[in-house]
Amino acid sequence: MYRNDAGAHGGSYAPPEVADRAGGPDIDSVSAMCRALGDPTRMRIYRFLLSCSCPVELGADGSVRPLDGPTVGEVCCTVAGVERITSTLSFHLRRLREAGLIAMERRGRRIACSVIPSAAQQLAGFFADANRSSAAKGEQTMTDGSPSKTDQDVHDAVRQRYGRAASAVLGRVDGAAGCCSGLDGDGQPANADPITRDLYSSDEAASVPTAALAASLGCGNPTALASLQPGQTVLDLGSGGGVDVLLSARRVGPTGFAYGLDMTDEMLDLAERNRAEAGVDNVRFLKGRIEDIPLPDGSVDVIISNCVINLSADKDAVLREAFRVLRPGGRFAVSDVVWRRPIPEAIRGNVELWAGCVAGALLEGDYRDRLLRTGFAGVSIEPTRVYTREDAEAAVESACGSGGCCGGMAEELDGALMSAFIRAVKPAA
Ligand SMILES: C[S@@+](CC[C@H](N)C(=O)[O-])C[C@H]1O[C@@H](n2cnc3c(N)ncnc32)[C@H](O)[C@@H]1O
């Protein structure tokens, strides 16, 4: 099934076929991979190699060679810490290699190992398809959260919440209350939520329409941190009322371009009004889901996003899509809410708290692992605001209303949640 023209350890391997004749993943390949993984020790070895995200060289013939990666000895030390497998390691590695899951390359007296990215993608694709078809039968549980909720529950709650938020600002724009009613005396959003308040400098605030600032629901200021350069193409995932797209458009200048992507019609209407009021031409708002970005491969220099990825029920899909649309060397520069400690169970399955940017947030290490698994390099997660017990309670109350859904959790929440700036790079080809 896979070309394997190597000797016992060295050499390169052709990756598995991408799809079978019916258009889905190649069932024979996936089945062979699953058989090879049907052993806890091999699963541990494979998981360890996945977490290394080591670079590989792809030959013109589709062959894969590890450029770096742990040696067999290092795999053994790491995995044998969990289970003593020294004597059987070669056998397990051979099974993984024969199934097309990993490649091994002799370097002098050492042998480096790495996962074969296309095989990992094929496995992931198979299970993503299975998940989608069970969703179609109404059996889906949430990809990234509570088993009692579906991705659709979350999607609906998020869309409704942000549709209402946009309508409130549009109402103010159109209505007697005037367009500044969402702002305080300093021209900042009059917003009691500790996550979204005071994010922009007064200079930035003065440079965008008041309705864009009033609709700001982010948790950071990604354009200020993303080092945007004139001429670049930027994409904002979940652009809301458009504040970060308009700020980006200024930074990339007339030779650059800024896209905003959002799924909520009311937000897109508001963003388009703000664009027209700002009088900028190098901006376009797209309707769509961040899990399925409507832009071609390699078409974006920098992806920004402000407090949105935590809202997705399928974050791996978002990261895969971000990776796909970035050009090699392109940057991921995102503000998001992140848990610093494991999320309390009482919060995890709460849809209001998910839509309020709390329950869907990832644990810091999980965020990093997912980015690395997707293929990103240079991952860093820098705290920009750590929330005190009072802040976290206010954020929970703003999502659920007073009376709340998390009474008695003050201690657990103190310092557990932060806003962070997350950087990563798509490796240059
Ligand atoms: C918390 S608001 C942030 C808006 C904006 N980034 C800002 O800083 O003001 C979240 C926005 O993301 C959008 N959104 C949430 N999940 C989405 C998804 N899966 N696909 C597309 N847009 C999404 C919502 O419609 C909403 O406009």
Side-chain angles (χ1 to χ4, degrees):
M1 194 181 330
Y2 310 124
R3 189 168 61 78
N4 176 353
D5 50 9
H9 280 306
S12 57
Y13 303 88
E17 296 293 320
V18 170
D20 66 11
R21 273 190 291 278
D26 173 7
I27 293 299
D28 288 343
S29 306
V30 171
S31 153
M33 292 185 230
C34 290
R35 272 200 304 279
L37 288 171
D39 173 284
T41 302
R42 287 198 287 278
M43 273 254 180
R44 283 193 189 99
I45 295 171
Y46 189 62
R47 188 179 58 179
F48 167 62
L49 290 173
L50 274 174
S51 74
C52 298
S53 300
C54 296
V56 294
E57 182 179 76
L58 300 177
D61 60 350
S63 59
V64 177
R65 295 176 57 213
L67 286 179
D68 193 3
T71 62
V72 170
E74 285 158 352
V75 175
C76 184
C77 289
T78 307
V79 183
V82 182
E83 184 181 324
R84 296 252 145 241
I85 55 165
T86 318
S87 58
T88 55
L89 182 74
S90 314
F91 164 75
H92 289 307
L93 286 171
R94 195 171 66 242
R95 286 294 315 274
L96 293 173
R97 182 169 61 86
E98 285 167 358
L101 283 161
I102 67 167
M104 297 164 73
E105 173 91 357
R106 183 172 284 286
R107 302 195 172 283
R109 300 184 57 194
R110 296 152 55 91
I111 296 168
C113 315
S114 76
V115 295
I116 295 180
S118 59
Q121 280 157 13
Q122 198 176 23
L123 263 183
F126 174 80
F127 288 107
D129 285 352
N131 193 30
R132 266 194 290 280
S133 46
S134 69
K137 292 189 204 117
E139 295 164 2
Q140 191 191 21
T141 57
M142 246 169 84
T143 313
D144 279 334
S146 158
S148 63
K149 302 289 184 305
T150 66
D151 288 9
Q152 194 61 41
D153 292 334
V154 169
H155 177 273
D156 293 347
V158 169
R159 222 197 52 71
Q160 280 163 22
R161 180 185 174 110
Y162 294 102
R164 279 197 307 272
S167 298
V169 176
L170 283 166
R172 286 184 193 128
V173 171
D174 291 334
C179 59
C180 290
S181 49
L183 306 181
D184 67 15
D186 299 327
Q188 297 281 349
N191 190 337
D193 189 320
I195 295 183
T196 58
R197 74 177 171 226
D198 301 334
L199 299 173
Y200 299 97
S201 71
S202 43
D203 226 23
E204 288 167 323
S207 73
V208 292
T210 46
L213 200 62
S216 153
L217 291 165
C219 55
N221 185 347
T223 47
L225 299 171
S227 309
L228 298 177
Q229 301 300 320
Q232 287 186 320
T233 299
V234 183
L235 167 65
D236 182 10
L237 300 180
S239 42
V243 60
D244 293 318
V245 177
L246 298 177
L247 290 170
S248 299
R250 260 192 354 148
R251 288 180 188 264
V252 299
T255 57
F257 203 87
Y259 289 101
L261 173 64
D262 208 287
M263 66 179 181
T264 306
D265 288 323
E266 296 88 333
M267 277 295 183
L268 289 163
D269 287 350
L270 177 60
E272 186 48 35
R273 279 183 185 226
N274 290 330
R275 186 204 64 75
E277 187 182 333
V280 287
D281 294 328
N282 59 338
V283 160
R284 186 160 160 221
F285 291 101
L286 306 169
K287 178 166 180 174
R289 304 181 62 219
I290 60 175
E291 296 83 357
D292 188 11
I293 299 174
L295 286 175
D297 298 2
S299 56
V300 171
D301 294 302
V302 183
I303 286 196
I304 62 165
S305 182
N306 200 348
C307 215
V308 179
I309 294 177
N310 72 80
L311 294 170
S312 172
D314 189 354
K315 295 170 180 65
D316 286 339
V318 177
L319 300 183
R320 271 199 306 276
E321 280 291 273
F323 191 84
R324 178 184 67 75
V325 300
L326 277 174
R327 65 165 174 76
R331 289 181 298 113
F332 179 90
V334 162
S335 294
D336 209 354
V337 175
V338 176
W339 284 95
R340 302 169 74 218
R341 296 201 294 271
I343 177 167
E345 270 311 308
I347 289 184
R348 214 165 102 84
N350 183 302
V351 171
E352 284 78 34
L353 284 177
W354 193 290
C357 298
V358 173
L362 292 175
L363 195 58
E364 187 176 356
D366 189 19
Y367 217 134
R368 182 176 287 109
D369 288 349
R370 286 173 190 245
L371 282 162
L372 290 170
R373 269 205 312 269
T374 307
F376 283 102
V379 175
S380 72
I381 300 184
E382 178 192 334
T384 49
R385 247 179 221 182
V386 175
Y387 297 104
T388 62
R389 156 194 180 146
E390 291 75 23
D391 291 335
E393 282 179 326
V396 164
E397 192 174 312
S398 138
C400 299
S402 57
C405 28
C406 308
M409 298 192 56
E411 288 309 319
E412 275 188 85
L413 293 175
D414 196 18
L417 203 58
M418 66 177 173
S419 290
F421 187 58
I422 298 142
R423 291 182 174 87
V425 181
K426 176 171 174 172

